[in-house]
Amino acid sequence: MLPTISKGRTPSNVRPNPAFPQYLRRIVKWQQMDIEYTFWQMLHLCTSPKVVYQHTKYHKQTKNQWARDDPAFVVICSLLLMVATSAFCAAYDYNLGHAVFTILSVVVFHFLVIGLILATCCWFLTNSYLREEASNSHVVEQRVEWLYAFDVHCNSFFPTFVVLYVIQYFLSPLLVAHGFIPILLSNLLFMVAISYYHYLNFLGYDVLPFLEKTTFFLYPIGIVIILSPIAILSGFNPSRYAMGMYFG
């Protein structure tokens, strides 16, 4: 958990948070990762995500931090992303060097780098604008942990991965074809994936009792719903665009 500061204390009293170094060290120690619980979380993020965040409350009560101390979710999600991207490359890429570059760029850039940026933006936004004011000076001020913001991104990303990397792979021969039906299905697929990402993002921050106005995280869904019919009527096919960007 990020250091908490009660009003009247100075930053010099803040101790560094030991959770993040420990989190990084456990990435290379498979025996310390709870693989079974990670797959349970991934399943329920696609079927009943509120159950996952209910367990997040239990984690806070037992570990005194909202964020995971187990990097298994990030590791497994990265491996699954590599496998799915490899399947796309095997089907549509005939250059081994470019395939390796594509796999690395998807895992590093799409998942990790963009995730770091989004998590940092949400962490800054929630701590700066969405926190409730402490009722009195004796109440410890609570803040969103950066590592928890990254957890929320990872949770939100996984169902998006299932839709855009797994389901889209099997439907890709239809989705990249010409015609109105491929355009319609492709836009619906992207609309569902992006909307569900933002819905899970909302659930992740809504569960924190010291935040208010978390419905802000649902606003992008409205934008997606408005833009999707425009994209369909204009003949834009996001699947063809994405496939063309990576495979020509």
Side-chain angles (χ1 to χ4, degrees), residues 23 41 45 59 65-70 73 147 151 154-155:
Y23 183 91
Q41 286 182 309
L45 283 169
H59 187 271
Q65 69 177 44
W66 291 97
R68 298 186 185 100
D69 55 1
D70 185 350
F73 196 99
L147 195 55
D151 280 349
C154 294
N155 290 345

Side-chain angles (χ1 to χ4, degrees), residues 1-5 9-18:
M1 184 176 183
L2 289 176
T4 54
I5 305 174
R9 296 178 66 181
T10 62
S12 60
N13 293 328
V14 177
R15 295 181 179 179
N17 178 20

Side-chain angles (χ1 to χ4, degrees), residues 162-194:
V162 172
V163 175
L164 296 185
Y165 287 86
V166 179
I167 297 177
Q168 183 173 222
Y169 172 76
F170 291 105
L171 295 179
S172 59
L174 171 62
L175 295 176
V176 299
H178 295 280
F180 176 75
I181 298 300
I183 292 174
L184 176 64
L185 293 178
S186 179
N187 278 280
L188 289 177
L189 201 68
F190 274 77
M191 182 183 71
V192 170
I194 297 172

